[in-house]
Amino acid sequence: FGRKFDGIGFVAVASTAEFSERGASTKSIIELYDKVASASAPLLRGMAFGLDKERLSDEAAAKLERSKRKLKFLARRTLENYLLRPEAIATVIGKELGEDIGLQAVTDRLLAIGGDRKFGAASKWTGDLSSEEWLGKVDAPRLLDDVFLEVTDKRLEFRKTTHSIELLKWILEDNPEEMSEMLSFVEKLIEVAKRDSKP
């Protein structure tokens, strides 16, 4: 984000897939939180947990945040919900394949499937790729899976650990203001981590 956070470390959770399973979300999150907090406490002066909201409702996420002071959820469903920029997607795909995929092909595919029920935000779809309501709820990783496969004739699969970072970098270079909400989220995590780290 162009800012330095001295003395701060970030560690990725290996998998949050089970968080999205119906009936298991809250239990899985609390178990992860308690386990990591307990194991890491002797090693760290302060910590915070930032997670994708997945299919948790706003109310459920807020309740968990109140009960677990170090736990914060993204405002949108996942990190990838901040990365659905057709220009970024076309650039990242083109760079990896070494050919021009074309912005129009990516845009057309997103518009064609944005309201599909399988992506979880049909009720929010208005045909506008910049709709905040739709961007907040759509299953962006699954959507990107489809776009990557379809516009490349199944030559390239979307990989979260690689392509999400490339998309993020492109957007930050093109228009950092688009990631202001994400930057605020990271800064909030750091505040939470530092809050209990004073000797």
Side-chain angles (χ1 to χ4, degrees):
F1 294 106
R3 302 189 189 182
K4 292 184 177 179
F5 301 113
D6 294 335
I8 300 294
F10 295 88
V11 179
V13 175
S15 172
T16 59
E18 70 268 27
F19 296 167
S20 61
E21 296 175 7
R22 292 192 183 279
S25 297
T26 301
K27 181 175 181 288
S28 297
I29 292 169
I30 291 175
E31 285 179 354
L32 173 73
Y33 174 96
D34 288 339
K35 183 177 180 180
V36 175
S38 175
S40 303
L43 307 174
L44 303 173
R45 292 181 60 191
M47 71 180 78
F49 299 84
L51 297 175
D52 290 345
K53 188 156 53 176
E54 296 289 353
R55 290 189 298 191
L56 280 178
S57 67
D58 293 341
E59 295 75 16
K63 184 177 180 180
L64 273 171
E65 287 185 344
R66 287 193 298 271
S67 67
K68 303 293 183 182
R69 295 171 59 242
K70 294 179 179 292
L71 182 63
K72 299 295 176 187
F73 290 96
L74 284 172
R76 297 182 184 180
R77 182 170 179 159
T78 68
L79 166 65
E80 285 72 27
N81 287 63
Y82 294 89
L83 309 178
L84 296 178
R85 274 281 302 278
E87 300 91 338
I89 297 167
T91 300
V92 168
I93 291 175
K95 181 179 178 182
E96 180 151 342
L97 292 183
E99 63 186 73
D100 182 11
I101 288 299
L103 172 60
Q104 196 60 52
V106 173
T107 302
D108 288 348
R109 186 59 186 169
L110 284 169
L111 289 171
I113 63 174
D116 194 312
R117 295 183 65 84
K118 70 181 180 181
F119 299 115
S123 65
K124 306 297 182 183
W125 177 246
T126 63
D128 179 7
L129 294 174
S130 63
S131 164
E132 287 296 322
E133 281 196 287
W134 178 76
L135 285 171
K137 300 297 184 183
V138 69
D139 187 342
R142 192 174 181 189
L143 188 73
L144 286 165
D145 282 338
D146 180 291
V147 172
F148 270 63
L149 287 171
E150 291 302 316
V151 302
T152 66
D153 295 321
K154 297 183 170 51
R155 290 178 294 153
L156 183 63
E157 294 183 356
F158 172 69
R159 298 187 304 276
K160 286 172 65 78
T161 55
T162 301
H163 296 129
S164 293
I165 300 303
E166 292 303 315
L167 290 169
L168 177 60
K169 287 179 179 177
W170 190 94
I171 295 171
L172 284 172
E173 290 175 5
D174 183 66
N175 185 8
E177 286 302 310
E178 288 189 31
M179 300 304 294
S180 59
E181 185 176 288
M182 178 62 66
L183 177 58
S184 295
F185 177 74
V186 172
E187 290 177 331
K188 185 184 297 182
L189 286 177
I190 291 170
E191 287 176 12
V192 170
K194 287 183 173 180
R195 181 175 59 203
D196 299 324
S197 68
K198 298 188 172 34

